[in-house]
Structure formats: C-alpha cells, structure tokens
Amino acid sequence: MENIVDLESSNLTQTLLGDKKISKAGCIFGLLRAHGTSIFTNSNFRKKNNNDENPESRILRNATSDKLSVVKSLQSNLNGLVIEEAKERLQKYGQNVLSCKRASPWYSLLWNAFWHPFNVILLVLGAISAATGDKGTLFVMCLMVALSVGVRFYQELKSSRAATRLADLVKYRATVIRREFDYEKIVEMEIPQEDVVPGDVVVLRSGDLFPGDIRLLTSTNLYVSQSALTGESIPVEKTADVIEDISTPVFDMRNVGFMGTSVESGEGLGVVFSTGDNTYISTIAGMLGNRNPTNAFQKGVRQVSYMLILFMLAMVPIVIVISGFTTHNWGGSFLFGISVAVGLTPEMLPMIVNANLARGALAMAHKKCIVKRLDAIQNMGAMDILCTDKTGTLTVDHVAMAQHMDSRCLSKDRVLKYAYLNSYFQKGLKNPIDSAVLTFGDTIADKGNVDTSNYRCIAELPFDFTRRRLSVILKEVDDGGDIYKMQHERNLETMCTLSNERHVLVTKGALEEMLTICSRVQETNTIVAMTKEYREKLLFIGEELNTDGLRVVAVATKLLECTCSDLPASTESSEFLEGFITFQDPPKESAKGAINALSQKGISVKVLTGDTLAIAIKICKDVGIVVDHVTTGPRLALLDAAQFVEEIKKATVMAKLTPTQKMQVVEALKSANHTVGFIGDGINDSLALKAADVGISVDSATSVAKDAAQIILLEKDLDVLVAGVIRGRITHGNTIKYIKMAASSNFGNVFSILVASAWLPFDPMKPIQILTQNLLYDFSQASIPWDRMDSDYLEIPHQWSATGIVSFMIFMGPISSVFDIATFLLLWFGYGVCTPEQQALFQTCWFLEGLLTQTLVIHMLRTRRIPFLEETASWPVLLTTATIVGIGLAIPFTLLGATEMMAKPPISYFGFLAVIVLSYCCLAQLVKGAYIKIFGKWL
C-alpha cells in the first residue's frame, strides 16, 4: 500500500461534518485523492443502457477492469460524488431497495388475502348453487368470502404498515465519501443504505453490510462473509489490487463485494456500480426470501387445513347420497350437500391465524420487540432452549479497565502505554475493550506516558475471531525509552536505526493466543525466553484472574527492521510480552430475576461465548444459572457428530467457541427436537442467529446481526425477552383454540347431518340456513385473537402437534352430536314434527340449538377450567358471543327469518333449549376433565 503517513497533516483531516472531524478513515481515501487528480464531470452523468446487461455481466465487466476505469465509467470521482449530484441520482434511479423487500402494495395484499383454498372452494360451491337456481346461496357465499378476505386484508394491511413503521426504527446505514459544492471539501457521512447510489464511494469496516455491488478501490486485510449468497460460513479474502480474469467464477472474484454480504474483519474502500434491483442478489432475492424452511407452525396449519378439506370432500358425497335416497329429491340433496360443504370449510382460518400473528407483533412492539418475521412469534412461544452470549445480555455491557501489570502482576505504565497506542490507532470496529483502554488512559493522572503525538500508524492487521488479536505498526519518533531499547538490543541481531525514528509492532489480544507468538518475557531485570513452563505459569495467572471475574488481555511489542506498509499475519511472531491488562463487566442486576423467570417458563438457558471458560462460569453463577456441565470449542472440535450432540445437550456453558461452532451448537440442539432461540449482537453471532428457530438481536447490534435476526429487542434485557415469550405463547394458544374448535365442531356436525339425513324425510336444515348459521358462528370466533390464555398454559412451551388436534377432534366432536340427536328426538316425539310440511319448525329449532351450542362452546373449549366460575374470557369474546347469541335468537322473528323460510318456535321450546345448552356445557366440562387426565393437557 502506498505511503499515507503525511495525510494526517493534510487539509483533509480539517474537514468538518457538522461539528465533528472526519475520522481516521480519512487516511484511506486521502490516498485515493492523491491519485484522483482529475475530476470527472458529474452533471452530464446518464444511466447506461443496462437493460441488456444482466447483473452477472455487469459484475464481470467491472471485475475485469482496473479500478480507475471503473470509477471513470461511472462518471464518479475517487473523492466521491458531489452531494447535489448524489441527490439527482437518487431521484433518477430510486432508492437502493430490493423489490422483494419493499412494502407490498395494497393490491398485492388483497390478492394474497383472497388466494386461499377455502375461498376458492366457497366461490366454486356458490357458482354451482347459482347454476342450479339458488342465487341466495351464491349471495351468502360471496358475502362470506368478502368478509373473510376483507378482515384478512385489513389485518395484513394494518400489520404491513405497522411493520413499516417498526422497520424505520431498525435502519441499516452506510458510510460514504462525498464532496460539497466547492468540489474540494470532502466529507465522510453516514446515510441510510437505501440512499446509496451508483458512483458512491463507500467506506467499509468490520460489521458493515455491502450496500450494493461494489468494486474495491483499497483493502487492508479485508475478509468478507458471503454466506448470504453461497451458504459458506468461512470468510473469503478480498483485495482491490487485482484485475480478475473473465473465466473467474462470480463468487471467486476478489475485487468485488456483493450487496447483502458483510465485512468480517479488516477495512476497505469501494465504488458502488449497482444498487437495488440491478445487484446480483436481486436475481435470487426472491428465492433467498423463500429459502427459510417451513417451520412446525406453518406445517401444522397447512396439515389441518388440508385435513379438513379432505374430510369435507369425503363426507359431502355421503351426505348427498343418504339425503337423496331419503327425500327422493336429488336436486335438493345436491344443494344441501353443497351447504354442508360450506359448513365444513373453515374459511376464517387464514384470517384468524393472520390476526393472531399480527396482533402478537403489535403487542410485542409495545414490549419493545420488533418482529421482522411474524412466524417468529409462535416460535418464541414454543422455544424451550435459549442460547445466549454473555456480554451485554448477562452483564451490563460496560467494560471497565481494572489493572495494567507486567508478567509478575506488578503495575506497570509501559503496559498501559502500548495497550493505549494499539487501541487508539486501530481503524477497525471499536469494541468495548478498546473503549475501556482509551477511557482509562485518558483519565489516569500520569497520562503523559500515553502521548500519541510521537506516533504515526503505518499499517494494521485487524482483529479476527480466529487469531483473536490485533496488531498495528507505529512509526515512533523521539521515544526516550532507553530501557526499551536496551531490552531489545540484547535480543536482536539486526536493529533498525533508533536515533530519530523506528517502527514498532504493537499487538494485543486474548492471553492464550498471544502467548503462542511471544518468545521473550521480562523476569525481574532480565529478559528470558518464553519457555513452555513459563507459558504455563502465565496461563495459570490468567486463570486465577478469570476466576475473579476479570478478563485478561495480553500486550506484546516487537521492533521491526524496516518500514512496512503491508502487514502479513506472519509478522506476529517472536514478540516481547509487555504484560497484561484486565477488565471487568459486572452482571446486570436484572439478569438473575430474568433467568429465574425463564426457568419458571420451562426455558433452559445455555451460554455460548468466545470468552474464557472461567469468566463465563463466574458470571453464570452470579446470575443464578446452575452450571452442571461445561465444555469448550477445542473439545467440541474433537468430537464426532453423535458425541457432539450429547455433549452440548449436557453443557450449560460453552466457552471459546468460534462463530461456526456457535451455529453448529444451535443446529445440533434443533436436531434433538428442541425449539432453539439465540440472542446475540456481534458479527460472530450472525451464523447462529440465522440458524436458530428464533434469532434475537438488539437495536444496538451490528448490521450483520440485525440482518440475520427475526426479532429485534430495543433494549438488551432478558426481562424484555420474557415478555416476548409470554406474548408468543398467547399467540400460539389462541391459534390452537380456533383450530381445535373448528375441527371438533365440524367433526360433530358431520355425524349429526349423517344421522338427520338417514332419519328425516326432509332436509334437517335448508342450505341458506346452514350458511347463515356458519356465518354467525364465524363471527363469534373472530374475537379469539383478543382472548387471554390460562396462566398455567403460559408456564411451559408448547410444540405444534397435528396428532393432538386429531385426538381432540375425535374426542370432543361427538359431544355436540349427542345433543343434536336429543333435539331431533324432542322435536320428533315431543312436538310431533315428523312430516315435510312441518320441516320449517324443525329446521328453525335445530338452527337455534346448533348456533347456541357452537357459540357457547367457545367458552368451554377456550380454557381447561370451569368457564365463568374459574376463568372468564376477555371482553371482546364475551361481547361477540353474546351478540351472536342474541342475533340468532331474534332471527326467526324477523324478516330475515321469513326470507329463510323459518317458523316461530313455541315459547316452551326455549325452556327445553336452555336445558339442552346447559346440559351440553356440563357434559363438555366432564369430558374435558377426562381428556386432560388421559392426554395430560388441554390446548
């Protein structure tokens, strides 16, 4: 890399962004300014005709061109676009958003609300009815479809708008370089990613997402995760100083970064040549958006839906045949069969499920949770294992530096000095360790020992999660450190000139990894070799400090023989161990209570961390996590697949894990039939977040982590997570309520209709009456998303079980048939309704009995307790059921009743009806108790 030392004194660093100086990244793009002697005219920029050039061809063209040619072809500038020109380009090309990520237009939501198998079935049945002359049935069916679609459309539109508002809180940003009107004043600014335009020069650092397809202009140890496109978890190295061959595969191109990929480590600078739907990811974005595997909840709803449809298709022909032979009116029997088909069709299922999830998302928003994927709500309720990182979740996430000592554990300012210089000059993502070092160095009394004015940063080897250390090369002028010179002169055969300036490699990182690159250490006043025994001694000191809850970072230095602008990893060798710096991050006061609450909700907490085992154990004990078994990343790496699963099932704390191992732990737990949540906020958590059933991040997380998560907490607090778990279980429970009610009710109705069709010389109910009853019953269930759940239901996670729904249907469904048949007997023998001329009274009475029992049974089935005495439904459920009962009782006495050929029931029948309904509720409660004893659960 070209020498950029003098850029510190250039006018570039005096450029202001608001009242804030440009960052040290200025030294990167200052290099480009030195080369960008010609200013390309932006005012005549016109979009090239790329309609005939697909994204892959565009990538190939830019990858096989030198970087200056690419900048020129975009009519941009190495110092960035003029601000006004960028605004014009944004107007011309639109926002940098993929079509699949834009909010769906209203007509798309309307079509999605309509296109459901149940709605199609209803319209087909209505068309058949109209063809046979029954236009009233067609009207009612169209009304039911319109209401179902309308409610679902309203809910999805409301949810979409709410999600859009919530998404505004989670903005991905990009750092770009732009010029002001004078063409010379350069500013580095953060802008929303959607405002990035072709020609923008972008600064790339650890944790950043590529905001478009980018041709690299500079790179320093730049490693990029392309897992979003390739599925490969291993980062690939990118470099600007190559020109690719035309035969190079797209994902092997080293000088190009793709939209949606992320910087793992290092830094660079690039020019955007494609945005939005012109990027490579746009060609597969739709496919990527659908790549998320179908979860158990989705499979369960689908299975139940098609089970009920198949049940309807199997039973309706039987009803038509029996009714036809009994009444000898095959046309009427056909219409009756169609009406039965409508009654068996749970046309409100899509709306109920969607309303539950949408309401859950909005309720969780009030609990400071942003739901990016609605399905994640149910998974959060079903979660039985939560894997979490340590820092910021269990601890306060405010790391404070505690000590600076040499290898003998004596306080030493030299250790602080070089730790401070390393943190100050590193240009990557500043982590809490760096911030703590800088804060400590700025506040101590003898801060004169940490004077940065005598140093210039020449090169850097950024931190990564494999080496677990960071190095910088500093040009040192007028150090005055005679002891330092003497120590190194005794151990170096060749020295660089020390009279005026020299180059120093300063490295800091995790103790274990640092000791592998150190060859010398100070013992009293003597420099000694780093023997195996001495290394073990230092590791023991580190373990003792870890046991006290302190994190240990080692600091080492090395004089270099020559000036280096590039820093290969091999440079980190034969270093001199200066000493240790220690840090503490105390546990959150609220963590212990939240861990206890999660445990009471049936959720096991496992700690997955890249930190040392001793610190993790100490923190876990402080917050109340019972540590029965522990393991480490190196140990897991030695196990085969079966041993791996058994080990992580037993372990409470897993330390020294790599990002890939975190992902493997999550996947192994899922394979053991657990619903796994993962909460994390770092780059090293992104793979595990993506793999988890519920990936949970926080608003302050890196862009990569937020992009991988399905739920984002606006506060990094486990108390917020507990509230989200409760809401997830309420959402799951209310959905199961509707499904089990619909399944059992439909199952019972089939038996009743079969008995009535085989017995009666007329249809037990007219098609229009069945449709009206079904419509009213659907509306009585529409308030279920606003219902509450039993407190004991919320105490444990619930997995989806299609077999449980079938057993519930078979066990509870026939109860309604018992009282339907009792009503038939009462009308036949008690009131003498046994001829076709009296069918209107029979049909009206059964209409009332069926509607009241189906509506009131909602209160019986919604809880395992005794309704109204031990548990009362929410007021929306009470209001809708009471309203529907009132409307149903009034219909026979209204014009609607006359239109549907109903008769006014005798007053005495209402007394019998009350007894039947009360008896039904009592029997349902008794059978409920038996069901719970047999199966051990209710919903």
Side-chain angles (χ1 to χ4, degrees):
M1 181 181 284
E2 293 86 350
N3 193 337
I4 56 176
V5 174
D6 293 335
L7 292 175
E8 287 288 336
S9 60
S10 71
N11 292 331
L12 185 63
T13 58
Q14 304 303 317
T15 304
L16 298 178
L17 179 56
D19 55 359
K20 177 181 175 183
K21 276 192 176 183
I22 196 166
S23 73
K24 296 299 178 183
C27 64
I28 303 175
F29 61 83
L31 164 65
L32 296 181
R33 184 182 181 189
H35 288 287
T37 53
S38 61
I39 303 294
F40 301 112
T41 303
N42 291 310
S43 60
N44 62 350
F45 180 84
R46 294 292 182 268
K47 184 179 180 182
K48 294 181 180 295
N49 182 13
N50 286 329
N51 294 331
D52 297 329
E53 186 180 29
N54 60 40
E56 187 169 350
S57 299
R58 195 176 303 115
I59 290 169
L60 183 62
R61 174 168 55 81
N62 287 284
T64 55
S65 303
D66 67 86
K67 48 194 175 187
L68 294 181
S69 298
V70 172
V71 174
K72 187 172 182 179
S73 69
L74 293 166
Q75 298 190 28
S76 182
N77 188 280
L78 290 170
N79 294 325
L81 297 172
V82 177
I83 293 176
E84 286 302 313
E85 171 64 16
K87 291 179 180 178
E88 292 177 9
R89 295 192 182 193
L90 183 62
Q91 289 291 326
K92 186 169 186 177
Y93 300 108
Q95 288 193 316
N96 178 29
V97 181
L98 298 175
S99 293
C100 66
K101 290 190 176 182
R102 296 188 177 101
S104 299
W106 66 268
Y107 50 83
S108 176
L109 294 176
L110 182 60
W111 172 254
N112 290 335
F114 167 76
W115 188 250
H116 193 280
F118 298 140
N119 294 331
V120 175
I121 288 173
L122 287 174
L123 290 179
V124 170
L125 295 175
I128 295 173
S129 299
T132 58
D134 188 357
K135 295 183 179 179
T137 301
L138 173 63
F139 172 76
V140 173
M141 290 186 177
C142 289
L143 178 62
M144 293 176 71
V145 170
L147 290 172
S148 178
V149 171
V151 172
R152 184 180 179 192
F153 170 68
Y154 171 75
Q155 289 288 346
E156 289 198 348
L157 183 63
K158 184 178 178 181
S159 178
S160 176
R161 289 176 176 174
T164 300
R165 291 194 300 269
L166 294 175
D168 289 339
L169 300 175
V170 186
K171 287 291 188 181
Y172 300 132
R173 304 185 71 82
T175 303
V176 300
I177 301 165
R178 288 182 177 171
R179 291 173 292 141
E180 295 190 351
F181 297 105
D182 58 10
Y183 286 81
E184 291 297 326
K185 191 174 183 180
I186 304 170
V187 292
E188 176 186 332
M189 58 176 64
E190 276 195 1
I191 63 172
Q193 180 174 295
E194 56 264 31
D195 291 346
V196 173
V197 297
D200 260 327
V201 176
V202 181
V203 179
L204 301 166
R205 301 186 180 97
S206 295
D208 287 344
L209 287 175
F210 279 77
D213 288 346
I214 291 175
R215 172 60 162 90
L216 293 174
L217 302 176
T218 67
S219 59
T220 304
N221 301 302
L222 186 63
Y223 286 84
V224 175
S225 171
Q226 297 186 158
S227 60
L229 295 177
T230 66
E232 293 292 334
S233 59
I234 300 175
V236 296
E237 186 176 10
K238 298 286 184 176
T239 178
D241 298 323
V242 296
I243 298 177
E244 294 291 358
D245 185 80
I246 194 171
S247 62
T248 306
V250 171
F251 293 131
D252 291 340
M253 292 181 174
R254 295 164 293 170
N255 59 4
V256 171
F258 305 99
M259 184 177 187
T261 61
S262 58
V263 179
E264 284 283 323
S265 61
E267 61 184 0
L269 203 66
V271 60
V272 178
F273 60 81
S274 294
T275 59
D277 288 337
N278 288 324
T279 58
Y280 185 85
I281 197 173
S282 70
T283 62
I284 53 175
M287 181 173 59
L288 286 174
N290 296 326
R291 279 295 177 87
N292 294 308
T294 303
N295 59 42
F297 179 72
Q298 294 169 322
K299 290 178 181 177
V301 171
R302 186 179 303 167
Q303 289 171 358
V304 171
S305 299
Y306 289 114
M307 177 188 71
L308 294 175
I309 291 175
L310 291 174
F311 187 57
M312 175 198 70
L313 295 176
M315 297 308 298
V316 167
I318 299 175
V319 171
I320 293 175
V321 171
I322 293 176
S323 178
F325 277 111
T326 304
T327 64
H328 305 291
N329 180 2
W330 289 97
S333 297
F334 181 73
L335 292 176
F336 179 68
I338 293 175
S339 301
V340 171
V342 174
L344 294 177
T345 303
E347 65 284 340
M348 297 294 279
L349 180 60
M351 186 277 292
I352 293 292
V353 172
N354 184 73
N356 261 313
L357 296 176
R359 173 166 167 74
L362 293 176
M364 289 178 70
H366 294 145
K367 298 293 184 180
K368 300 183 179 180
C369 295
I370 297 176
V371 180
K372 293 172 59 181
R373 284 183 53 195
L374 290 180
D375 292 336
I377 299 172
Q378 188 275 338
N379 286 331
M380 181 174 258
M383 177 176 64
D384 60 342
I385 292 180
L386 174 66
C387 298
T388 177
D389 64 347
K390 173 181 64 65
T391 304
T393 306
L394 302 180
T395 65
V396 297
D397 197 16
H398 181 72
V399 179
M401 184 170 160
Q403 302 163 307
H404 48 99
M405 62 184 78
D406 62 15
S407 59
R408 298 164 294 169
C409 297
L410 300 176
S411 178
K412 196 159 190 176
D413 292 339
R414 287 180 52 79
V415 179
L416 172 61
K417 169 185 176 179
Y418 286 105
Y420 187 98
L421 291 173
N422 178 282
S423 296
Y424 181 84
F425 284 104
Q426 72 102 352
K427 297 184 284 291
L429 194 66
K430 285 286 192 294
N431 59 46
I433 294 294
D434 291 310
S435 299
V437 171
L438 296 176
T439 299
F440 188 89
D442 289 339
T443 55
I444 60 173
D446 55 345
K447 64 173 291 184
N449 290 330
V450 195
D451 185 2
T452 59
S453 62
N454 291 329
Y455 298 89
R456 297 283 176 82
C457 180
I458 304 302
E460 176 182 348
L461 188 57
F463 177 88
D464 64 53
F465 298 104
T466 302
R467 293 167 36 256
R468 302 183 71 212
R469 56 181 178 260
L470 181 148
S471 294
V472 293
I473 292 181
L474 305 179
K475 182 172 75 171
E476 182 180 10
V477 181
D478 189 24
D479 174 72
D482 295 332
I483 296 178
Y484 183 86
K485 296 178 185 179
M486 291 173 59
Q487 290 172 345
H488 284 76
E489 285 171 346
R490 295 172 182 172
N491 293 275
L492 292 176
E493 295 180 0
T494 306
M495 291 286 297
C496 59
T497 303
L498 296 174
S499 57
N500 295 314
E501 65 177 41
R502 62 188 178 192
H503 295 87
V504 183
L505 174 70
V506 183
T507 306
K508 78 172 189 301
L511 176 60
E512 187 173 346
E513 284 76 7
M514 286 290 294
L515 291 180
T516 63
I517 63 169
C518 292
S519 60
R520 300 177 305 283
V521 64
Q522 183 176 1
E523 177 64 39
T524 313
N525 294 322
T526 307
I527 304 299
V528 299
M530 180 70 75
T531 63
K532 178 180 179 181
E533 291 74 17
Y534 209 102
R535 185 174 287 108
E536 290 176 352
K537 173 185 174 182
L538 295 175
L539 287 173
F540 178 78
I541 292 174
E543 290 174 0
E544 290 292 309
L545 293 169
N546 289 161
T547 304
D548 293 333
L550 295 172
R551 180 173 180 176
V552 181
V553 172
V555 180
T557 57
K558 175 182 177 181
L559 287 178
L560 300 179
E561 301 179 19
C562 56
T563 302
C564 301
S565 59
D566 290 321
L567 182 54
S570 59
T571 308
E572 295 177 329
S573 61
S574 302
E575 296 192 35
F576 171 76
L577 180 68
E578 296 283 354
F580 315 125
I581 48 178
T582 64
F583 304 85
Q584 57 185 358
D585 183 12
K588 286 183 177 179
E589 293 182 1
S590 62
K592 191 169 186 176
I595 293 295
N596 183 56
L598 287 171
S599 178
Q600 292 178 351
K601 299 298 180 188
I603 300 175
S604 302
V605 178
K606 294 180 182 290
V607 177
L608 279 58
T609 179
D611 211 338
T612 58
L613 185 59
I615 291 179
I617 293 174
K618 176 69 164 56
I619 293 296
C620 287
K621 290 181 178 179
D622 289 342
V623 299
I625 297 177
V626 179
V627 182
D628 294 324
H629 184 74
V630 299
T631 190
T632 63
R635 170 174 169 75
L636 291 174
L638 301 175
L639 305 179
D640 61 31
Q643 293 172 330
F644 186 94
V645 173
E646 289 303 314
E647 180 74 3
I648 59 104
K649 284 169 64 178
K650 294 186 297 182
T652 305
V653 179
M654 287 163 262
K656 304 286 281 187
L657 297 181
T658 65
T660 302
Q661 285 179 320
K662 288 185 179 183
M663 176 188 68
Q664 291 169 344
V665 168
V666 169
E667 291 177 339
L669 290 172
K670 288 172 63 178
S671 70
N673 297 320
H674 291 287
T675 301
V676 183
F678 184 91
I679 180 169
D681 62 353
I683 305 168
N684 57 329
D685 297 322
S686 58
L687 294 175
L689 284 167
K690 188 71 174 177
D693 290 304
V694 190
I696 307 163
S697 191
V698 292
D699 187 42
S700 58
T702 61
S703 298
V704 182
K706 288 190 290 188
D707 192 55
Q710 295 106 43
I711 292 178
I712 297 177
L713 307 180
L714 298 184
E715 291 183 1
K716 194 171 184 180
D717 195 327
L718 289 178
D719 285 330
V720 178
L721 187 61
V722 173
V725 167
I726 294 173
R727 172 48 59 181
R729 292 180 183 176
I730 292 173
T731 300
H732 175 77
N734 282 334
T735 303
I736 291 297
K737 281 180 190 177
Y738 173 79
I739 293 174
K740 288 190 172 182
M741 288 175 188
S744 61
S745 177
N746 290 351
F747 188 74
N749 286 343
V750 166
F751 279 107
S752 299
I753 290 171
L754 286 175
V755 171
S757 299
W759 178 14
L760 300 175
F762 50 83
D763 291 335
M765 203 181 298
K766 293 190 180 300
I768 190 67
Q769 295 169 351
I770 293 178
L771 295 175
T772 302
Q773 185 189 72
N774 196 51
L775 181 64
L776 291 173
Y777 180 54
D778 284 338
F779 271 102
S780 71
Q781 294 177 307
S783 59
I784 287 177
W786 286 264
D787 195 17
R788 63 175 65 93
M789 294 299 302
D790 292 344
S791 57
D792 54 351
Y793 183 89
L794 303 178
E795 294 303 311
I796 59 174
H798 300 271
Q799 306 296 330
W800 183 269
S801 174
T803 57
I805 294 173
V806 174
S807 63
F808 188 95
M809 178 180 70
I810 295 174
F811 209 90
M812 300 300 297
I815 298 176
S816 63
S817 297
V818 172
F819 292 94
D820 287 340
I821 294 172
T823 302
F824 298 162
L825 294 173
L826 173 66
L827 294 172
W828 187 277
F829 295 106
Y831 287 93
V833 181
C834 54
T835 64
E837 290 75 19
Q838 298 172 301
Q839 63 178 304
L841 179 59
F842 187 100
Q843 292 164 349
T844 302
C845 290
W846 191 35
F847 172 88
L848 293 175
E849 184 268 341
L851 178 62
L852 264 62
T853 53
Q854 286 190 88
T855 302
L856 293 177
V857 80
I858 291 174
H859 296 276
M860 306 303 301
L861 300 184
R862 60 166 294 277
T863 176
R864 64 184 295 161
R865 300 172 182 170
I866 302 175
F868 304 112
L869 297 179
E870 296 180 341
E871 175 67 26
T872 304
S874 64
W875 70 263
V877 176
L878 292 171
L879 180 62
T880 52
T881 53
T883 300
I884 294 304
V885 168
I887 292 174
L889 291 172
I891 283 178
F893 304 95
T894 63
L895 180 60
L896 176 61
T899 303
E900 297 189 1
M901 293 177 285
M902 290 185 180
K904 296 179 180 179
I907 298 300
S908 60
Y909 173 73
F910 289 99
F912 288 112
L913 182 60
V915 173
I916 290 173
V917 171
L918 181 61
S919 300
Y920 175 81
C921 292
C922 292
L923 181 59
Q925 186 66 32
L926 290 174
V927 175
K928 182 199 302 184
Y931 181 92
I932 293 172
K933 286 184 179 179
I934 294 172
F935 295 99
K937 64 178 182 178
W938 180 234
L939 294 175

